[in-house]
């Protein structure tokens, strides 16, 4: 699992390439701060929002599907609930956590082509100006340039052995392909014929019979081979909150946006805290611990821009209050 963050405090707390001292963890993370270079993408908040629909309402119509409409009552739109959510966030320190695939980038047939758009990248940078912000992803280091964790380094030799075996079996199944995520392996079957899926799953499981320290998980059209270590996105979220000094703070409000089963562990952590916004990205009903929903990455983009605007406006209001004093804000004179 890879975690990217913009927090300089996190670097100071841990140092580059230094082991965690927390007795809660069983891994040795590597940290690296994200460069918050506003000039690296020539896009401003204004230029992005000028190309969007009115962001006061969701930019896609709600599905007429009865099952989805029923589900969204239990998991209301984070865009439609925005004012209510920000009212609850007022006076608290919001920390933003984001999944990558299916959240910041679209789900595509070729995972190597799943990249953030320039608009999304700029929106994340805009959010990072106002909130501690981290991207928690299962992508490998070469696909996620700003890296915090390498939690399974000792498993690397076995992972490469398994990769070779998986590549041999997938050559015989049309549409299947193996992606090396360095610390886990993904067997994609989005292009596999339905009648071949059971064969593929059985072959993958047969490979793992000789590697008891690994287990198989299931995602969106993907089988993932992972080391059996006590680490998931929920642990990652807890680790970051602890490292940033937020774990025992009653005024900290974590916000997590994700779209897959692996994000459910993070949703559970937020639910257990009793404070925060777990948001699932889905256009179809699904079992989830999330409280709110967004339909797709385009709605994620809109939501991120809204929270950046909200905090920017809040910061401006606080600055005026500090200059003029309570109750003495300037008024227009006719």
């Amino acid at each position: 699992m890879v975690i990217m963050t913009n927090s300089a405090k996190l670097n100071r707390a841990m140092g580059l390439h230094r082991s965690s001292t927390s007795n809660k963890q069983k891994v040795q993370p590597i940290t690296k701060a994200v460069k918050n270079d506003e000039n690296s993408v020539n896009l401003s908040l204004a230029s992005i929002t000028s190309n969007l629909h009115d962001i006061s309402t969701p930019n896609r119509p709600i599905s007429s599907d009865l099952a989805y409409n029923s589900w969204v009552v239990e998991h209301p739109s984070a865009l439609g609930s925005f004012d209510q959510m920000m009212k609850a966030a007022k006076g608290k320190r919001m920390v933003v956590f984001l999944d990558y695939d299916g959240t910041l980038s679209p789900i595509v047939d070729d995972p190597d082509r799943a990249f953030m758009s320039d608009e999304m990248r700029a929106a994340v940078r805009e959010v990072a100006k106002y909130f501690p912000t981290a991207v928690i992803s299962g992508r490998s280091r070469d696909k996620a340039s700003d890296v915090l964790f390498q939690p399974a380094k000792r498993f690397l030799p076995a992972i490469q052995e398994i990769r070779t075996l998986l590549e041999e079996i997938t050559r015989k199944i049309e549409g299947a392909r193996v992606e090396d995520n360095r610390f886990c392996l993904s067997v994609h079957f989005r292009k596999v014929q339905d009648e071949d899926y059971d064969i593929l799953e059985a072959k993958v499981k047969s490979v793992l019979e000789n590697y008891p320290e690994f287990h198989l998980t299931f995602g969106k059209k993907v089988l993932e081979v992972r080391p059996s270590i006590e680490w998931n996105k929920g642990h990652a979220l807890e680790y970051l909150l602890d490292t940033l000094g937020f774990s025992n703070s009653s005024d900290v409000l974590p916000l997590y946006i994700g779209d897959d089963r692996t994000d459910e562990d993070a949703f559970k952590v937020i639910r257990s805290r009793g404070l925060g916004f777990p948001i699932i990205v889905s256009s179809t009903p699904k079992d989830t611990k999330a409280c709110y929903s967004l339909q797709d990455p385009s709605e994620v983009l809109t939501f991120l821009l809204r929270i950046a605007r909200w905090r920017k406006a809040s910061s401006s209001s606080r600055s005026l209050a500090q200059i003029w004093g309570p109750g003495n804000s300037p008024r227009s004179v006719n």
Side-chain angles (χ1 to χ4, degrees):
M1 181 181 298
V2 166
I3 299 178
M4 295 165 278
T5 179
N6 74 316
S7 174
K9 183 176 179 181
L10 187 59
N11 258 10
R12 292 196 299 269
M14 296 172 59
L16 293 176
H17 302 277
R18 290 166 63 182
S19 299
S20 167
T21 56
S22 170
N23 57 13
K24 297 179 181 178
Q25 310 304 327
K26 298 183 179 180
V27 299
Q28 293 187 337
I30 296 177
T31 66
K32 182 179 180 182
V34 166
K35 295 179 180 177
N36 192 10
D37 183 359
E38 299 172 32
N39 296 321
S40 59
V41 176
N42 186 23
L43 287 167
S44 66
L45 181 60
S47 68
I48 300 170
T49 54
S50 67
N51 293 322
L52 294 174
H53 297 290
D54 180 3
I55 64 172
S56 63
T57 57
N59 57 11
R60 283 186 55 184
I62 298 298
S63 168
S64 61
D65 181 78
L66 292 178
Y68 180 80
N69 289 342
S70 176
W71 178 82
V72 86
V73 170
E74 299 297 324
H75 308 88
S77 166
L79 291 173
S81 307
F82 185 82
D83 291 341
Q84 176 187 352
M85 293 168 69
M86 294 307 104
K87 184 177 179 180
K90 190 174 181 180
K92 301 190 182 301
R93 292 181 291 173
M94 191 153 69
V95 186
V96 178
F97 299 98
L98 303 166
D99 174 43
Y100 187 84
D101 292 282
T103 299
L104 298 180
S105 69
I107 295 293
V108 294
D109 288 343
D110 183 356
D112 290 332
R113 299 180 66 84
F115 296 112
M116 280 192 288
S117 65
D118 288 344
E119 291 83 3
M120 183 68 83
R121 192 178 301 276
V124 172
R125 287 199 177 99
E126 191 71 20
V127 169
K129 291 180 185 178
Y130 303 104
F131 308 97
T133 302
V135 177
I136 303 178
S137 173
R139 282 183 167 264
S140 62
R141 182 170 182 171
D142 61 336
K143 295 174 186 171
S145 59
D146 300 292
V147 177
L148 254 179
F149 289 132
Q150 293 185 349
K153 192 171 184 178
R154 70 183 179 89
F155 292 97
L156 286 176
I159 288 173
Q160 293 309 305
E161 291 178 11
I162 297 172
R163 174 190 175 183
T164 299
L165 294 171
L166 291 178
E167 287 177 341
E168 289 178 1
I169 66 172
T170 54
R171 288 193 192 102
K172 302 174 183 177
I173 300 178
E174 185 177 355
R177 65 179 296 265
V178 177
E179 181 186 11
D180 186 352
N181 289 307
R182 186 170 171 78
F183 298 112
C184 73
L185 297 167
S186 299
V187 181
H188 296 276
F189 59 88
R190 187 171 294 274
K191 296 182 178 180
V192 171
Q193 296 295 318
D194 290 343
E195 57 269 23
D196 292 332
Y197 170 75
D198 289 341
I199 298 173
L200 176 64
E201 182 180 336
K203 287 183 176 294
V204 172
K205 288 180 176 178
S206 68
V207 169
L208 293 188
E209 288 176 359
N210 297 318
Y211 295 89
E213 290 185 308
F214 289 80
H215 67 281
L216 191 64
T217 62
F218 300 82
K220 287 184 176 179
K221 297 291 185 178
V222 63
L223 303 171
E224 293 193 329
V225 176
R226 299 177 176 272
S228 298
I229 57 176
E230 191 179 349
W231 191 258
N232 56 43
K233 290 186 176 182
H235 294 126
L237 188 151
E238 288 178 319
Y239 178 83
L240 284 172
L241 289 175
D242 183 58
T243 304
L244 291 166
F246 294 154
S247 59
N248 296 317
S249 300
S250 60
D251 65 338
V252 168
L253 190 153
L255 181 152
Y256 187 103
I257 307 178
D259 75 307
D260 207 351
R261 295 182 186 180
T262 57
D263 300 303
E264 290 296 324
D265 294 307
F267 296 154
K268 290 176 185 176
V269 168
I270 294 178
R271 293 288 292 264
S272 69
R273 290 173 60 88
L275 185 67
F277 299 136
I279 304 173
I280 189 163
V281 182
S282 179
S283 58
T284 58
K286 60 172 62 176
D287 291 334
T288 180
K289 294 293 184 182
C291 296
Y292 298 93
S293 64
L294 294 167
Q295 285 198 349
D296 53 33
S298 70
E299 288 201 349
V300 174
L301 173 62
T302 302
F303 183 82
L304 293 178
L305 291 172
R306 290 193 69 175
I307 63 173
R309 278 185 162 186
W310 171 80
R311 178 46 58 91
K312 183 178 182 179
S314 300
S315 300
S316 298
S317 298
R318 285 197 298 270
S319 297
L320 286 174
Q322 290 170 357
I323 295 171
W324 293 91
N328 295 313
S329 57
R331 299 178 181 178
S332 60
V333 178
N334 295 325

